[in-house]
Amino acid sequence: MAPSAISAGAEKLQKHLDGSLEGKKMADMAHNMKDVHDPKNRITTDFGVTQHNTDDWLKVANNDKTGPMLLEDHAAREKINSFDHERIPERVVHARGAAAFGNFKLHKSLEKYTTAGVLTDTSRNTPVVLRFSTVLGSRGSADTVRDVRGFAVKFYTDEGNWDIVGNNIPVFFIQDAMKFPDVIHASKPEPHNEIPQAQSAHNNFWDFQNLHTEATHMFMWQQSDRAIPRSYRMMQGFGVNAFKLTNAEGKAFLCKFIFTPRLGVHSFVWDEALKLAGQDPDFHRKDLYEAIDNGLYPKWDFGVQTIPEEEADSFEFDPLDATKIWPEDRFPVEYCGELELNRNVDEYFTQTEQVAFCTGHLVPGIHHSDDPLLQGRSFSYLDTQLSRLGKNWQELPVNRPVCPVMNHNRDGQLRHTITKGTVNYWPNRYGAAPPADPSEGKHVYVDYPAKVEGIKARLRSKKFQDHYSQAQLFYNSLSEPEKMHIAAALSFELDHCDDPLVIEPMCQRLTDIDISLAQQVADLVGGTIPQKANRSNEGKKTKNVSQTEIQPKEPTIESRRVAIIIADGYDAVAYNGILGALKGAKALPYTIGPRRSPIYAAGEDKSSGKGVKPDHNLEGMRSTMFDSIFVPGGVDSIATLRKNGRALHWVREAYAHLKAIGATGEAVDFIRDACQLEGMEFSTSSDVVDSYGVVTASKVQPESFKETLAMAKGAKDFIDAYTYEISQHKNFERELKGFPMMVAY
Ligand code: HDD
């Protein structure tokens, strides 16, 4: 259960969405909808007439023979008509997504920077909706593709809606909004054949990245592990653009917004992501839904980076340039609140497809900065909702603010609000619905009186011209495995390009970042191997760019999916011991067997009809859908698994994907035979051995798990070692050792 303060906020949001909040008791047809699950309710037409048959079109029948259909059947035509128009245009970018509701709780007031109630009043629980998305794919594309992820949050604040329309990567491909159609056209499927779907691995994408050099920093992030997240719940969220905060003294600060997940930042390995795109295209969607459904509410710490406005020109980069980070070693994040997601949507279309965000949705105390990407964005979001949702998109339940609304905007298609009164303009003879006076309070939006002077020109600030320093900073700050993944990702992508006009210059471009990276990629993709760096790399690094640094304070396995693989004759004590330990640590264990009908433990009477009913069979799932696997011993169970090619594949694949593997008893030999990395060690006695994330205990057939593990310094040792390895998510040492990636290509 959510803490009571959080539930209070959730209840407020629920009421709002139900339309039962004070001031929302307007004629709202959606709320006439009867409960679908109440068997007393009967089917009606859209206009409320109860129907007795919605399966057969009204026809002329003759002696039980079907005759012509009658056009007069309004109920049938209404049903087909409604179906014909079910789809609305998908978002031109970020079409595929998943949303959930929750709360924002402020722990520390930011009043030194802003007057915004949501960022200064620590007694509030602000309801939120968060929509995650991929950028390039269509609505029906796969979740686990290599792509930037959207992280769009709508705060339903007491002063109106505030939207942070962010990504899981802190920078962007372009500096000026006018380039957006170009970068998106170059990235989406190519115009002549609409290939490829939801991928950046094609000629046009890399052609643009090469020629449009300000994208260099961003494409390095996009080729990193950040672009293949393990879960929406394990990604950071960045507002990307610089905003402006103003405090009660009228002082202004440039500001960036950041969300950091309590579960840490984790990613797939590329092979895993590729396979999942086919094996479970809804992986991220399900993962989010499942976690919330299980009460494992994902949380993010929320913070800001700030720069006093008068200091904005004192750095080597321009803080208004969205292709640059504000390095955290110099601009630490001030964490001040937390965002929790605690309620799944009830209906996808009305609460995920119809949710709409806009960077111009700002509340008092938060303003636009002069970031040229941001200003253009705010035009684009408002504009795009017109073709997607229509003029009255603000009236859709998920988009409505929780505070009262009053203005003189009226009419248009699908207007729901019935505004009583005789005037719809200002000024009017009654003084009705006047604008507020700034002196009325902090809830009044007052524009920051920024001083502006200059000439009209199409130009960018000089510091915007540096396109490479931070690409190097990023690359230098990564761990060795992360660097290897970038080389592998770039060579995958360029291998999918078949135009030398793309491949050759791209290999050359990489010499602006790092010569060894450029040489490695050129060799792998058959390009000309560059001999010298175009730009020296002084090795500068910064903090919290490598995701290995963004990990939970305490190791946790909460919500990690663990597959326990058993066959008839398995060791029940080991099985139950691990199952209990995983559940106790709030992981999500799943039993996998060769079949889904009951599996019997060693010595268990098969005629008892009891046994364990696995959650899935080995064919139905793949190791890719789990974070770890555990195999308990048992002579017969292991003999069966050894003969099952799919079981062997599960182990080998989990091993190659750097996952924690646990095994006890006879399973230890089975695992050893499956994972053949030179230098690995396995338990051959009663000791617990943790070697490259493969945790084994005792080769000996145990009488009982407890007994065996008591010999092996106790069950606790095994469980501690195994759960620690799961918490680490991946064992990169295995990879550095030379398996399974491309070190020895
Ligand atoms: Fe955008 C959607 C994030 C630049 C134009 N964008 C959209 C969404 C996210 C972002 C998360 C999905 C919102 C949802 O879930 O409904 N966009 C970003 C970030 C950017 C960015 C982090 C750079 C800092 N976007 C950007 C520019 C433009 C747009 C420069 C146009 C000039 N974005 C759009 C859009 C979308 C959109 C076409 C499509 C659907 C929508 O707005 O509602 O207007």
Side-chain angles (χ1 to χ4, degrees):
M1 284 296 290
S4 59
I6 299 241
S7 326
E11 200 179 306
K12 190 169 160 190
L13 176 62
Q14 179 64 64
K15 276 190 184 165
H16 159 58
L17 293 165
D18 290 348
S20 56
L21 203 71
E22 211 47 50
K24 292 244 164 274
K25 289 171 190 158
M26 58 182 83
D28 185 340
M29 298 308 289
H31 303 128
N32 291 346
M33 190 56 84
K34 292 174 180 169
D35 178 0
V36 173
H37 293 289
D38 183 344
K40 289 197 295 297
N41 288 334
R42 296 288 177 264
I43 202 161
T44 75
T45 63
D46 279 345
F47 293 90
V49 179
T50 304
Q51 298 295 300
H52 76 96
N53 178 339
T54 54
D55 299 335
D56 300 292
W57 200 299
L58 190 65
K59 305 172 198 76
V60 180
N62 191 352
N63 287 335
D64 286 345
K65 277 189 162 175
T66 300
M69 295 157 76
L70 297 176
L71 207 56
E72 73 176 62
D73 187 349
H74 177 79
R77 280 189 294 136
E78 182 196 78
K79 188 173 172 184
I80 298 298
N81 166 269
S82 169
F83 174 76
D84 288 347
H85 301 280
E86 273 180 9
R87 294 291 167 270
I88 58 173
E90 67 173 30
R91 289 167 174 83
V92 57
V93 283
H94 296 266
R96 182 170 178 82
F101 295 106
N103 270 88
F104 174 69
K105 181 89 188 83
L106 188 74
H107 299 311
K108 188 182 124 190
S109 168
L110 293 184
E111 63 197 14
K112 59 185 164 175
Y113 306 123
T114 179
T115 54
V118 61
L119 297 180
T120 52
D121 182 352
T122 51
S123 68
R124 285 192 196 181
N125 275 299
T126 303
V128 299
V129 62
L130 203 172
R131 182 175 179 272
F132 304 99
S133 49
T134 50
V135 182
L136 298 181
S138 298
R139 256 189 79 178
S141 57
D143 281 345
T144 62
V145 296
R146 175 176 297 284
D147 199 354
V148 178
R149 297 299 186 285
F151 193 107
V153 190
K154 188 181 292 299
F155 297 77
Y156 300 91
T157 86
D158 294 352
E159 293 83 17
N161 286 357
W162 172 37
D163 295 349
I164 297 182
V165 198
N167 282 340
N168 74 329
I169 287 178
V171 287
F172 205 59
F173 291 104
I174 54 172
Q175 297 169 330
D176 188 304
M178 206 165 166
K179 288 304 294 171
F180 194 65
D182 293 303
V183 66
I184 298 304
H185 284 172
S187 308
K188 284 262 205 181
E190 297 192 0
H192 60 300
N193 57 8
E194 246 218 358
I195 296 175
Q197 178 57 237
Q199 307 241 346
S200 51
H202 60 106
N203 286 326
N204 285 2
F205 179 83
W206 286 105
D207 185 29
F208 183 84
Q209 299 302 314
N210 172 51
L211 296 170
H212 185 71
T213 52
E214 74 201 41
T216 310
H217 187 196
M218 176 69 168
F219 84 61
M220 289 295 283
W221 282 82
Q222 186 259 357
Q223 292 297 293
S224 79
D225 295 344
R226 298 274 186 157
I228 41 172
R230 153 65 179 81
S231 162
Y232 288 142
R233 302 173 296 121
M234 300 172 194
M235 314 184 308
Q236 283 186 293
F238 300 93
V240 181
N241 293 116
F243 289 83
K244 197 178 275 182
L245 301 179
T246 51
N247 67 16
E249 285 80 53
K251 193 169 155 42
F253 299 82
L254 292 177
C255 164
K256 290 216 182 203
F257 301 114
I258 295 176
F259 300 86
T260 296
R262 291 267 172 92
L263 292 172
V265 177
H266 299 289
S267 294
F268 292 120
V269 295
W270 181 223
D271 184 60
E272 197 182 5
L274 276 176
K275 287 175 172 164
L276 269 175
Q279 291 165 349
D280 192 354
D282 305 300
F283 188 86
H284 283 150
R285 223 178 238 200
K286 281 201 228 166
D287 168 273
L288 179 69
Y289 197 92
E290 180 184 70
I292 294 176
D293 220 28
N294 278 300
L296 301 171
Y297 302 144
K299 280 190 182 160
W300 285 260
D301 289 313
F302 170 83
V304 293
Q305 287 178 295
T306 51
I307 295 178
E309 192 183 36
E310 64 278 9
E311 292 174 25
D313 291 333
S314 26
F315 314 105
E316 76 288 0
F317 66 94
D318 190 326
L320 299 179
D321 175 356
T323 66
K324 306 287 189 331
I325 55 167
W326 299 0
E328 282 191 36
D329 51 345
R330 292 152 64 199
F331 306 91
V333 180
E334 230 178 299
Y335 284 101
C336 58
E338 75 181 58
L339 184 149
E340 176 187 272
L341 294 181
N342 48 32
R343 198 162 67 76
N344 279 314
V345 299
D346 297 310
E347 190 182 32
Y348 185 86
F349 183 79
T350 46
Q351 295 176 315
T352 303
E353 195 56 17
Q354 289 194 323
V355 68
F357 300 86
C358 178
T359 45
H361 287 171
L362 300 169
V363 288
I366 308 177
H367 310 260
H368 281 102
S369 72
D370 290 338
D371 174 345
L373 191 70
L374 176 60
Q375 307 226 348
R377 285 182 77 191
S378 294
F379 161 71
S380 182
Y381 290 85
L382 192 60
D383 192 38
T384 203
Q385 310 313 345
L386 291 182
S387 58
R388 216 166 65 75
L389 301 167
K391 173 200 171 293
N392 284 311
W393 59 283
Q394 78 287 352
E395 293 194 353
L396 295 168
V398 71
N399 295 329
R400 294 199 303 236
V402 293
C403 62
V405 174
M406 171 50 67
N407 59 40
H408 302 295
N409 298 338
R410 291 290 188 278
D411 306 350
Q413 273 197 335
L414 298 178
R415 176 74 170 180
H416 283 194
T417 309
I418 299 167
T419 319
K420 295 180 184 166
T422 55
V423 291
N424 53 3
Y425 53 86
W426 175 259
N428 59 64
R429 61 192 178 281
Y430 309 115
D437 188 279
S439 63
E440 284 176 34
K442 287 196 283 191
H443 64 285
V444 181
Y445 196 96
V446 184
D447 298 293
Y448 175 66
K451 194 172 167 205
V452 181
E453 56 184 1
I455 51 155
K456 242 197 245 178
R458 293 183 186 273
L459 52 75
R460 300 183 194 177
S461 103
K462 216 169 167 194
K463 290 179 191 165
F464 276 44
Q465 309 310 325
D466 170 14
H467 299 165
Y468 305 112
S469 304
Q470 287 210 354
Q472 289 183 330
L473 185 74
F474 171 70
Y475 185 68
N476 297 340
S477 305
L478 298 181
S479 67
E480 271 318 300
E482 286 173 309
K483 286 183 179 174
M484 283 161 57
H485 299 168
I486 291 202
L490 281 165
S491 44
F492 175 94
E493 300 263 317
L494 293 182
D495 187 73
H496 281 63
C497 300
D498 55 11
D499 192 338
L501 278 177
V502 172
I503 300 167
E504 288 292 345
M506 230 9 257
C507 293
Q508 202 49 46
R509 165 76 47 244
L510 296 176
T511 67
D512 282 310
I513 303 165
D514 187 87
I515 182 67
S516 66
L517 173 69
Q519 288 172 334
Q520 202 180 350
V521 172
D523 194 14
L524 281 159
V525 303
T528 310
I529 298 178
Q531 294 310 315
K532 77 176 189 32
N534 199 29
R535 169 178 307 269
S536 69
N537 182 349
E538 287 156 19
K540 276 193 196 146
K541 295 183 184 184
T542 187
K543 265 178 33 181
N544 294 344
V545 158
S546 163
Q547 62 186 57
T548 59
E549 292 172 46
I550 309 163
Q551 296 307 321
K553 289 186 190 100
E554 295 295 326
T556 173
I557 63 168
E558 183 176 313
S559 78
R560 298 300 176 85
R561 295 167 59 86
V562 181
I564 306 182
I565 304 177
I566 57 169
D568 285 329
Y570 69 92
D571 172 1
V573 187
Y575 168 82
N576 288 320
I578 288 295
L579 191 70
L582 292 173
K583 283 187 180 162
K586 295 190 183 165
L588 301 172
Y590 295 84
T591 302
I592 314 289
R595 57 176 193 272
R596 209 169 168 181
S597 47
I599 304 280
Y600 296 92
E604 192 176 357
D605 178 7
K606 289 192 182 171
S607 63
S608 69
K610 289 186 182 158
V612 165
K613 199 166 177 303
D615 299 296
H616 299 285
N617 67 40
L618 282 163
E619 272 307 316
M621 292 274 137
R622 291 292 185 274
S623 80
T624 44
M625 295 156 191
F626 301 88
D627 294 295
S628 170
I629 60 173
F630 172 73
V631 190
V635 178
D636 293 344
S637 172
I638 296 303
T640 304
L641 294 178
R642 272 185 187 281
K643 280 187 277 179
N644 185 320
R646 183 62 70 202
L648 192 65
H649 178 233
W650 267 73
V651 177
R652 288 202 168 141
E653 194 175 48
Y655 183 70
H657 292 159
L658 314 177
K659 292 174 183 175
I661 295 178
T664 53
E666 289 74 11
V668 177
D669 279 358
F670 172 53
I671 300 293
R672 186 200 57 213
D673 295 346
C675 323
Q676 294 163 343
L677 178 63
E678 214 177 298
M680 278 197 68
E681 289 168 17
F682 294 87
S683 171
T684 53
S685 67
S686 51
D687 288 341
V688 176
V689 174
D690 181 351
S691 179
Y692 296 95
V694 179
V695 182
T696 51
S698 181
K699 194 180 168 193
V700 189
Q701 159 67 7
E703 280 304 312
S704 83
F705 186 61
K706 269 196 194 130
E707 242 172 64
T708 309
L709 292 173
M711 287 190 292
K713 296 202 221 86
K716 196 171 172 307
D717 280 2
F718 181 85
I719 288 165
D720 285 354
Y722 178 48
T723 51
Y724 174 76
E725 290 298 347
I726 302 175
S727 77
Q728 297 307 290
H729 187 60
K730 297 283 179 198
N731 187 287
F732 294 112
E733 282 174 27
R734 210 182 286 169
E735 187 175 42
L736 289 172
K737 180 84 182 161
F739 190 94
M741 298 290 285
M742 36 161 283
V743 175
Y745 67 92

